[in-house]
Structures are given as C-alpha cells and as structure tokens.
C-alpha cells in the first residue's frame, strides 16, 4: 500500500496495512482526493469492502485515535486505560507499558507534562 499510494502519502493519504485514511480541509478537495485514491486502487486492481468504508465524515476513529478538524486526539477510552494501568512490578510488565509510548505519543506527553492530559481524564 505504501508503494501504491507513495506519491500521496502524508499529503492527503495515510495507510496502515490495508487501512486508508484520506484527509482534507475542504469537502471539494476531499472529493478530488477521494477520486484519486479510488482511481489508484482501481489501477492496481484493489477492491474496497463498502461495509468497512466511512466516506466524507467529519470525524473518524483510526488506530486508536480520533481524527477530525481539531486534529488528532486519542480515543478517551484508551487514555483511561493508561490512567488505570497498574504499576509495573516486573521487567516484562514494564516493557509492555513502555510499548504504549511507541504507539500512543500522548502517553509520553502525559508523563512529560501531566497538565497536557488533564482534559482527557
């Protein structure tokens, strides 16, 4: 998927395995970008499963984050899980907790500046 959408990555498309996120600031641009994405999929003989598609939405949950016109924010339930995480007592448990830092950058911000996370509690 990265090779297929290479020219458009991080300009208006993000892919993660077979998940495709198309983002724009205006609806007219969104339609243009959607046409490009759909044509690219067609050119490479890929198919969409309509039941898994959300088209032209104001907000979407994507990989544990909410993407909207406000930007990218963590899903509140995920933040709560981090707040309730038990204190690691063994190396393996600590490694599991530290793995959150790689996937959820907001976790790092909570420890660097707890005030940044007050509105998510």
């Amino acid at each position: 998927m990265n090779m297929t959408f290479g020219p458009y990555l991080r300009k208006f498309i993000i892919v993660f395995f077979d998940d495709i996120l198309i983002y724009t600031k205006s609806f007219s641009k969104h339609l243009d970008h959607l046409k490009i994405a759909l044509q690219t999929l067609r050119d490479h003989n890929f198919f969409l499963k309509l039941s898994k598609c959300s088209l032209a939405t104001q907000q979407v949950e994507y990989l544990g984050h909410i993407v909207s016109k406000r930007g990218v924010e963590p899903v509140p339930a995920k933040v709560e899980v981090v707040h309730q995480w038990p204190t690691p007592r063994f190396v393996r448990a600590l490694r599991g907790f530290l793995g959150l830092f790689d996937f959820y950058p907001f976790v790092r911000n909570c420890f660097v500046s707890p005030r940044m996370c007050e509105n998510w509690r």
Side-chain angles (χ1 to χ4, degrees):
M1 294 303 278
N2 285 328
M3 289 178 10
T4 300
F5 287 107
Y8 314 115
L9 290 179
R10 292 178 208 70
K11 293 178 181 163
F12 61 89
I13 291 181
I14 297 172
V15 296
F16 185 76
F17 292 107
D18 62 348
D19 289 331
I20 303 166
L21 179 67
I22 302 168
Y23 57 94
T24 52
K25 293 191 183 240
S26 72
F27 186 69
S28 61
K29 268 295 198 200
H30 188 69
L31 292 177
D32 293 340
H33 292 160
L34 188 58
K35 285 178 188 176
I36 291 169
L38 292 174
Q39 187 61 52
T40 301
L41 289 169
R42 179 181 288 167
D43 292 346
H44 289 86
N45 295 315
F46 286 111
F47 297 90
L48 298 175
K49 186 172 184 178
L50 192 56
S51 64
K52 292 186 170 189
C53 295
S54 296
L55 301 172
T57 61
Q58 296 281 328
Q59 174 177 303
V60 66
E61 188 173 323
Y62 185 74
L63 302 175
H65 296 81
I66 296 173
V67 181
S68 70
K69 64 181 177 182
R70 293 182 356 191
V72 179
E73 301 171 302
V75 171
K78 303 289 185 187
V79 175
E80 189 57 35
V81 167
V82 173
H83 284 288
Q84 301 300 321
W85 199 279
T87 302
R89 297 174 54 154
F90 301 99
V91 172
R92 185 174 182 178
L94 178 61
R95 286 183 184 136
F97 180 73
L98 293 175
L100 292 172
F101 285 76
D102 288 334
F103 190 74
Y104 291 112
F106 74 88
V107 173
R108 193 173 318 120
N109 294 337
C110 287
F111 287 92
V112 173
S113 176
R115 283 185 286 148
M116 294 177 74
C117 299
E118 287 175 1
N119 60 335
W120 294 330
R121 289 185 183 169

